[in-house]
Amino acid sequence: MVRLKDRYLLVNIIYTDLPPAQSKTAGSNKPPVSDLLLYNQPTANELRPQTLLKDIRSEIASLFGDCGSGAIDRSLQVKYFSPATSTFILRVSRSHYRLVWAALSFMQTLPAKNGRPCIFRVVRVSGTMRKVEQEAIRRARLLVLAAKDELKGMSSSDALGALLRSDSQQQRTLAIVGGQGDDSASEDGLVED
Amino acid sequence: MMKRKDPPGGAKESQGRQPNPRNNKRVKVQDARNIRTQPSDAALEDGKLDLNKFLNAREFEIKALEKSMTKCKAINATRVFQMVPRAMRRRTASHNVKRVPKRLRAQARKEMLDDNTPTVESRKRKPRTTRARIRAETMKKLRYLADKKKKKKAEKSGDGTAEDAQTKAKGVVTTRAPRPKIRRNMLNEPPKADSKFRKRQINKTWLPTHLWHAKRATMTKPNSPLWRFAIPLTSTAKCYRPTHRASGQKGVVAWDVSYMSTIGVYGTDDCIERVLRSLGLVQEGLWNARGKKWRTGVRKWTGTVSRQQKSSRRDMGPTTIVWNPEPPATNSDEMETSNRSKKSQRQILIRTHPSCFLELFDEVVKLAKRQKPQPHVEDLRFEIGSIELLGPGSTETLLGILEPYHETPETAECHASVFRSLAGVTNPASLPKDAVLAFSAKDPRLAYPPKRIQIPNGGEQTLLKTLTEWQVEENLKPYNIFDRESRYQASRMPSQKSVNRRKGANAPGEPIKVTAADPPIPVLLLASRPATDGQAQGTWTLLAPWKCIQALWYCLMHYPLTTGGNPRLGGLEEQRQIAFEHGTPWFPGDFPATNAGVNWELEQRAKRRRDWDRRPKSKRLEWKSLDLGAGRKGEIGDGLACDFEHLLGLPKSDVPRTQEKSGAVSIPDPAAEAMVLDPPEPAESGGTQGPSQSPLSRVETISLVTKTAFNALAKSASAEQPPAGSIVTVSLAFVTRGVAKPCARIYRLPSKPKTTVVPSTQTEVPATPEAPSSALGSLPADLREQWLAKVPLASSNANKINKRGPAAAPRMPAGVDMETRKKILTQSLLTTELAYPKSAANQADFGGHPLCPNEEDLIGFVTTGAFSLSEGKATAIGSISAERAVETLRETGVREGKFCIVRNAGESVGWLARWELV
């Protein structure tokens, strides 16, 4: 039997500017927005999964031509798209997921009307939906922890740290401090110490 | 009716007449895979970023993803019958709810309904064939008759009380049930089968556990029983690796080996001794003080017995012999103990394989009739059954099912207490060699289901004490299993029905009390070690009355092992596998020097021939066109046989006749004789008449040389030869690669070329003496070296040859200038290989693999061969000609003499192996 092999990409949309509603009033005496919030903004509701797909397709067509767009044409699908958290999961056939990844790397603005500049960051590639979901949960958890820290007033002003908070380095320290995170991560931390 | 695989949302569906369960499912799946999301406003406080909203959005996401994961897992497409553990899976579980465990049945039924699985209830199926229709009609008629009979009976019992009283008044004499007859010096009939099953046992006998095995194992074909028994061949479950594990690492394998035959001999001490001596038990160790334990009955003897045949002795087969202890001497007798030892009546049990039973029985009867006073011989085949257990949990299992019958201190048997103290033994080979234990056990059904045994505290110490002291000789009484009366009493066990009734009356979980109705079961336990010394597991053999085996077996199979699981069942294949993994020959397959082995071989030949004949001509091996290299064509001898006749130069009849004979005559021959009361003349007399030789008598001249005799021969410097046509059994281990199959040919290494005679072709090219001088049709002169170069632990000599061998083109050395490069290139171009002399014959055909030697170097055949899980590489058991083996050993010494080349029948490439005597 033929088995269709897919890859699932977990992608975050990262913003660097303030949302339009806030930027209008930016001149006032409001305190600056923390990096954590700044980078992990929600995405505008105008962006539908269909428009996202369309844009990726057109990007691939411009980068890889007909061959590339044909290769991913059938298999590309949005499995999950959450505007509130700016996270989405794409499904691509296993042999061509790099094309999609490359296209995402080249996309610089949100594919919507007067789209804002943004970065599409692929944070996880996996063979199963389950593992991608697990990763999304893990990242969300870490962000929640960081947000709670911030609420208490212990803000980390390090901009890069906020962006990479959920990456491995940060994750280890968090796992040791909070005693959370998955087993392998905490083990890693212990070994390092 | 709807088709099972209707496309979802098909034409029917769109009309919406009937909700398609499959479509429902699809909707469900889609629903489960959908992950809930929030719009972006949820993360914004009226258009502005906010930490609390940010938090809520993330938490919502986590929940949504987790929920999706659980939902997806819940709806995935597994059915309940897939959740059942492998051992409990049944073939038709997908469409028959009765094939899944009860607790899953409701769910299975629902799933089948959902899935529109076509289910069939066999009871309601219409008979299709004529035969089935007739059978159904007969069933109907019988049911009607039975109903009528029942009604009549009910009427009669209603008004028939007066009649009953009348008969009672008359005084009906009740007699004891007749005991089965055991004839002296004659074969006995198998037990009369239940009338329901009698027709199926006309040509064979069922084992006591036949009904159990027939459901769980592949049995011998109904029309071709093995040794007149229906024997389980192998479990229907996959079991090759589990058996290997259970036998060595964890678990138990159990066999119902009730087909093993038992012979009882009764007579005075010295008469029995003379009979045994003439059966080949001539080692003095058995008859002097060293064999005292055996003769008192606390040890067994296992070995090969033989019979006198014209001028030589011929092996019959491996047997086990156990003596019955003498009754304890009373005080008045003590004076005449010395007298007693000669005159006292003794009994022995001879346990042997059914394939050599008849031969042995005839021989024993013949020998017994020559003695004075004449001992008598009983055929106890269907009187005593047996179970064999192998594996680390075997002792534990036996302890779990066998409880001593006599528990009070004054009646307790010392063997029983020794047995009970064996808790914790993981290998019966750690017991004293050839230990025997005999006692009376309780009916195991009384304590059914068997419970896991508890190892007592400080068990190590007591166990060590038991094993070192092994006090079994105190207060030794004759074993009950030798006593016909107690065997008979034991076989009158209460029925399962009555046991169930008593159990119902009892409190749950409590064992049933032993009453007078429960007879003690006399059991005899034999612990044997594997033939090859080492860490391998030993075997327990449990001998009990034939009728008790079933009850014992049912309990045994349900014993919960401490390592988990239950004992596994084994069949004949598993027995062969275990023997093979231990590196021991299996009787009768690996004993071509016995009649039983010859019969087995002939049977196998016929079977292989049948299989070969059945294949289409284009798909089967054409033996004549097999290319062995160097111009040799055709397989040596018969490719479908371990052709010892060919090897030893025995007279050969034409092939079809052999087939016919082996197919029609020799297979049922021993088996048929085994049951007939007065067997036809033994084959020996036929053998002397020359031309009309049966295949059996032709091969009967093959004799076996024992290990010790062979070693002595190989060491002696004299030119003494082993008897003509003698073989010796060896185990083979491959040096590098290769797997031998049965019938594989074994060659010795080709002898060194004679240097005195120089062939003319070589004189012309004296400059290259080591180059293989091979005109087509002759083997290379250095074939022996080529083979020896294959030995991986190469001596310096072999290494050199390897390097000098046909090498690839010289590599260009790194970092040389252009001039040198050019020079090397021109050199390599100029020195092309010349077309003459031709390269070795194996270069073209076999990719440089050495050729097989010629037929004069053939020394034997492989009888069993496969990949051995215990060794981690291929091994084999075979037989080689003793004459040629001795010759080779004397010529080339032990190191090189034990190398051989094994080539599978029908293949042209051989592999290097080493043989060792077993």
Side-chain angles (χ1 to χ4, degrees), chain B residues 862-900:
Chain B
V862 167
T863 46
T864 310
F867 185 86
S868 163
L869 288 180
S870 61
E871 292 294 314
K873 60 178 185 177
T875 56
I877 302 276
S879 291
I880 57 174
S881 155
E883 212 172 332
R884 291 193 183 179
V886 166
E887 192 182 306
T888 320
L889 281 184
R890 280 181 188 157
E891 265 176 28
T892 57
V894 177
R895 204 193 85 83
E896 284 189 9
K898 288 207 168 174
F899 278 117
C900 57

Side-chain angles (χ1 to χ4, degrees), chain B residues 362-405:
Chain B
D362 287 345
E363 185 66 18
V364 173
V365 169
K366 201 172 82 190
L367 291 172
K369 282 189 176 156
R370 282 188 205 149
Q371 311 301 329
K372 205 163 191 189
Q374 195 179 346
H376 71 267
V377 184
E378 278 180 0
D379 163 23
L380 301 177
R381 273 182 304 170
F382 307 109
E383 276 281 298
I384 297 177
S386 47
I387 293 173
E388 226 164 73
L389 293 130
L390 177 82
S394 54
T395 317
E396 182 199 335
T397 311
L398 282 177
L399 282 166
I401 58 162
L402 295 179
E403 273 210 35
Y405 187 83

Side-chain angles (χ1 to χ4, degrees), chain B residues 491-801:
Chain B
S491 52
R492 296 176 63 198
M493 299 162 99
S495 67
Q496 183 66 51
K497 228 179 192 174
S498 76
V499 170
N500 289 347
R501 207 178 303 125
R502 282 159 68 188
K503 200 169 190 180
N506 224 11
E510 244 174 58
I512 305 171
K513 292 251 160 52
V514 181
T515 61
D518 300 308
I521 302 175
V523 294
L524 184 68
L525 286 169
L526 310 174
S528 33
R529 290 182 182 180
T532 48
D533 286 333
Q535 294 304 306
Q537 280 281 333
T539 316
W540 275 112
T541 312
L542 166 69
L543 269 68
W546 178 270
K547 293 249 170 84
C548 303
I549 290 291
Q550 194 194 37
L552 285 167
W553 181 261
Y554 284 0
C555 292
L556 181 105
M557 276 296 147
H558 290 139
Y559 176 74
L561 292 165
T562 46
T563 48
N566 297 107
R568 302 188 62 85
L569 91 103
L572 202 67
E573 284 300 313
E574 279 67 53
Q575 235 164 16
R576 297 184 71 181
Q577 181 194 345
I578 297 294
F580 172 68
E581 281 178 5
H582 286 176
T584 50
W586 173 76
F587 188 81
D590 296 326
F591 285 78
T594 60
N595 283 0
V598 169
N599 277 319
W600 176 267
E601 164 65 17
L602 292 177
E603 224 166 288
Q604 293 298 308
R605 273 182 208 180
K607 191 164 158 283
R608 283 185 210 120
R609 170 74 58 188
R610 262 201 312 277
D611 291 346
W612 187 83
D613 277 335
R614 203 179 291 153
R615 294 178 74 80
K617 209 171 176 195
S618 56
K619 296 267 170 64
R620 65 191 183 197
L621 253 164
E622 195 52 56
W623 302 107
K624 274 188 209 115
S625 55
L626 176 73
D627 183 17
L628 291 175
R632 295 168 299 175
K633 283 259 177 204
E635 182 57 89
I636 301 171
D638 183 1
L640 298 168
C642 297
D643 209 347
F644 285 104
E645 298 98 307
H646 185 88
L647 171 69
L648 303 172
L650 303 175
K652 195 164 183 142
S653 59
D654 50 324
V655 177
R657 226 179 83 199
T658 317
Q659 294 322 313
E660 192 183 270
K661 282 207 166 167
S662 58
V665 184
S666 69
I667 297 169
D669 210 24
E673 283 171 13
M675 295 288 165
V676 177
L677 293 178
D678 40 356
E681 278 295 290
E684 283 163 69
S685 56
T688 51
Q689 283 158 15
S692 67
Q693 280 179 329
S694 75
L696 185 62
S697 60
R698 268 192 292 116
V699 195
E700 205 162 63
T701 48
I702 299 178
S703 62
L704 188 78
V705 179
T706 58
K707 190 176 176 180
T708 44
F710 185 86
N711 279 338
L713 272 173
K715 276 187 192 127
S716 71
S718 67
E720 191 189 350
Q721 285 291 327
S726 62
I727 56 170
V728 58
T729 311
V730 292
S731 75
L732 300 155
F734 282 89
V735 171
T736 51
R737 289 179 50 191
V739 177
K741 291 182 203 140
C743 296
R745 273 71 179 134
I746 306 173
Y747 298 90
R748 60 185 167 195
L749 291 182
S751 49
K752 284 170 192 150
K754 305 277 181 290
T755 43
T756 48
V757 189
V758 181
S760 60
T761 48
Q762 275 201 358
T763 51
E764 288 167 24
V765 274
T768 56
E770 84 275 7
S773 73
S774 54
L776 195 72
S778 70
L779 290 174
D782 65 340
L783 190 59
R784 185 187 178 83
E785 279 71 38
Q786 280 184 23
W787 276 111
L788 282 175
K790 293 267 165 194
V791 183
L793 279 178
S795 57
S796 57
N797 187 20
N799 237 344
K800 250 184 255 164
I801 291 164

Side-chain angles (χ1 to χ4, degrees), chain B residues 95-153:
Chain B
H95 56 268
N96 188 350
V97 281
K98 289 196 174 162
R99 293 282 176 271
V100 295
K102 259 187 194 152
R103 67 191 164 79
L104 298 175
R105 254 175 225 176
Q107 208 178 336
R109 199 169 285 129
K110 186 176 151 286
E111 275 173 3
M112 279 179 205
L113 221 62
D114 285 351
D115 228 20
N116 199 21
T117 312
T119 50
V120 174
E121 208 175 326
S122 60
R123 204 156 40 83
K124 289 184 184 163
R125 189 191 276 149
K126 259 192 179 167
R128 278 196 193 139
T129 58
T130 318
R131 207 170 159 199
R133 193 172 47 74
I134 291 170
R135 184 181 273 176
E137 274 170 13
T138 322
M139 286 266 278
K140 216 172 174 183
K141 270 183 214 159
L142 283 175
R143 206 176 300 139
Y144 171 70
L145 282 174
D147 279 348
K148 220 163 131 187
K149 204 174 168 189
K150 215 185 258 172
K151 218 182 271 170
K152 227 179 224 172
K153 213 176 179 183

Side-chain angles (χ1 to χ4, degrees), chain A residues 78-91:
Chain A
V78 177
K79 298 297 279 189
Y80 170 67
F81 179 71
S82 157
T85 53
S86 302
T87 313
F88 61 94
I89 297 174
L90 286 178
R91 191 199 69 185

Side-chain angles (χ1 to χ4, degrees), chain B residues 395 398-399 402-409 411-423 436-442 466 470-477 479-480 521-525 540:
Chain B
T395 317
L398 282 177
L399 282 166
L402 295 179
E403 273 210 35
Y405 187 83
H406 304 290
E407 272 162 345
T408 54
T411 54
E413 295 156 302
C414 82
H415 280 205
S417 58
V418 167
F419 173 69
R420 291 311 298 182
S421 65
L422 287 180
V436 170
L437 289 173
F439 56 94
S440 301
K442 268 188 215 166
T466 311
W470 202 252
Q471 290 174 331
V472 288
E473 279 170 274
E474 282 173 15
N475 199 7
L476 204 59
K477 275 180 253 167
Y479 299 153
N480 278 340
I521 302 175
V523 294
L524 184 68
L525 286 169
W540 275 112

Side-chain angles (χ1 to χ4, degrees), chain B residues 216-477:
Chain B
R216 294 163 181 86
T218 316
M219 310 294 286
T220 48
K221 291 231 177 74
N223 52 4
S224 57
L226 209 51
W227 312 307
R228 281 239 145 184
F229 281 99
I231 292 176
L233 295 177
T234 181
S235 156
T236 44
K238 284 186 181 179
C239 64
Y240 192 82
R241 197 171 276 266
T243 304
H244 163 73
R245 282 205 201 105
S247 66
Q249 295 153 18
K250 182 190 135 178
V252 194
V253 195
W255 290 271
D256 180 5
V257 283
S258 297
Y259 54 82
M260 291 294 266
S261 317
T262 323
I263 302 170
V265 184
Y266 306 82
T268 57
D269 209 346
D270 49 342
C271 279
I272 291 181
E273 181 181 334
R274 265 179 269 136
V275 169
L276 289 182
R277 272 182 190 271
S278 31
L279 279 176
L281 277 73
V282 287
Q283 303 97 308
E284 273 315 305
L286 292 174
W287 305 109
N288 58 24
R290 283 174 64 203
K292 192 166 169 290
K293 282 199 168 156
W294 173 58
R295 275 171 292 137
T296 49
V298 294
R299 295 284 188 277
K300 70 178 173 69
W301 175 87
T302 304
T304 311
V305 289
S306 55
R307 66 183 157 81
Q308 194 66 36
Q309 179 194 41
K310 280 168 263 173
S311 60
S312 65
R313 292 197 69 84
R314 182 163 177 77
D315 285 347
M316 287 190 284
T319 54
T320 300
I321 298 177
V322 183
W323 288 77
N324 192 14
E326 286 174 279
T330 51
N331 279 344
S332 57
D333 285 345
E334 231 155 70
M335 262 72 91
E336 36 187 352
T337 38
S338 56
N339 222 356
R340 264 167 53 100
S341 65
K342 279 274 176 271
K343 290 281 174 225
S344 62
Q345 286 288 319
R346 297 295 303 270
Q347 303 175 21
I348 56 166
L349 273 190
I350 307 178
R351 186 166 177 271
T352 190
H353 197 267
S355 59
C356 65
F357 163 76
L358 185 71
E359 198 185 356
L360 179 61
F361 187 79
D362 287 345
E363 185 66 18
V364 173
V365 169
K366 201 172 82 190
L367 291 172
K369 282 189 176 156
R370 282 188 205 149
Q371 311 301 329
K372 205 163 191 189
Q374 195 179 346
H376 71 267
V377 184
E378 278 180 0
D379 163 23
L380 301 177
R381 273 182 304 170
F382 307 109
E383 276 281 298
I384 297 177
S386 47
I387 293 173
E388 226 164 73
L389 293 130
L390 177 82
S394 54
T395 317
E396 182 199 335
T397 311
L398 282 177
L399 282 166
I401 58 162
L402 295 179
E403 273 210 35
Y405 187 83
H406 304 290
E407 272 162 345
T408 54
E410 54 269 16
T411 54
E413 295 156 302
C414 82
H415 280 205
S417 58
V418 167
F419 173 69
R420 291 311 298 182
S421 65
L422 287 180
V425 171
T426 52
N427 187 353
S430 59
L431 265 55
K433 195 165 180 278
D434 294 330
V436 170
L437 289 173
F439 56 94
S440 301
K442 268 188 215 166
D443 186 348
R445 295 174 303 170
L446 301 183
Y448 182 89
K451 286 166 201 69
R452 192 169 287 168
I453 57 156
Q454 301 294 326
I455 295 173
N457 277 345
E460 296 265 307
Q461 292 302 317
T462 51
L463 179 61
L464 266 179
K465 197 165 160 247
T466 311
L467 290 183
T468 47
E469 290 177 2
W470 202 252
Q471 290 174 331
V472 288
E473 279 170 274
E474 282 173 15
N475 199 7
L476 204 59
K477 275 180 253 167

Side-chain angles (χ1 to χ4, degrees), chain A:
Chain A
M1 212 175 87
V2 180
R3 190 184 170 120
L4 297 174
K5 304 229 166 148
D6 291 331
R7 283 286 174 268
Y8 296 88
L9 311 186
L10 177 64
V11 189
N12 278 348
I13 309 175
I14 293 166
Y15 298 92
T16 49
D17 62 338
L18 283 172
Q22 207 162 4
S23 59
K24 276 171 205 161
T25 58
S28 63
N29 53 0
K30 283 253 170 152
V33 179
S34 72
D35 292 339
L36 179 72
L37 284 183
L38 182 66
Y39 294 135
N40 301 302
Q41 281 174 35
T43 304
N45 275 336
E46 291 90 69
L47 182 64
R48 314 293 311 163
Q50 292 87 340
T51 49
L52 183 67
L53 267 186
K54 213 170 123 195
D55 204 58
I56 296 173
R57 289 224 169 97
S58 65
E59 187 69 35
I60 287 176
S62 71
L63 285 175
F64 300 105
D66 285 348
C67 175
S69 61
I72 54 106
D73 190 39
R74 299 298 297 277
S75 65
L76 189 66
Q77 197 185 3
V78 177
K79 298 297 279 189
Y80 170 67
F81 179 71
S82 157
T85 53
S86 302
T87 313
F88 61 94
I89 297 174
L90 286 178
R91 191 199 69 185
V92 213
S93 72
R94 190 176 63 168
S95 38
H96 306 295
Y97 77 94
R98 279 157 214 274
L99 305 190
V100 177
W101 192 338
L104 284 171
S105 307
F106 275 95
M107 283 160 66
Q108 287 172 347
T109 54
L110 207 62
K113 212 162 74 180
N114 48 43
R116 296 161 59 195
C118 66
I119 300 167
F120 291 89
R121 182 161 174 251
V122 177
V123 289
R124 172 85 183 195
V125 180
S126 169
T128 60
M129 187 77 181
R130 197 165 68 91
K131 284 285 172 189
V132 171
E133 284 174 334
Q134 277 173 357
E135 172 72 8
I137 290 172
R138 193 182 68 81
R139 292 180 150 270
R141 272 213 185 107
L142 290 171
L143 284 175
V144 165
L145 283 179
K148 277 181 179 162
D149 280 356
E150 206 130 298
L151 271 180
K152 281 177 205 158
M154 302 186 292
S155 81
S156 57
S157 57
D158 182 12
L160 206 63
L163 183 60
L164 302 175
R165 188 174 291 280
S166 41
D167 282 342
S168 56
Q169 188 67 36
Q170 199 72 12
Q171 170 209 344
R172 274 184 201 144
T173 52
L174 271 179
I176 293 164
V177 172
Q180 287 191 7
D182 50 348
D183 288 349
S184 64
S186 61
E187 256 174 37
D188 279 353
L190 287 176
V191 167
E192 212 170 56
D193 287 338

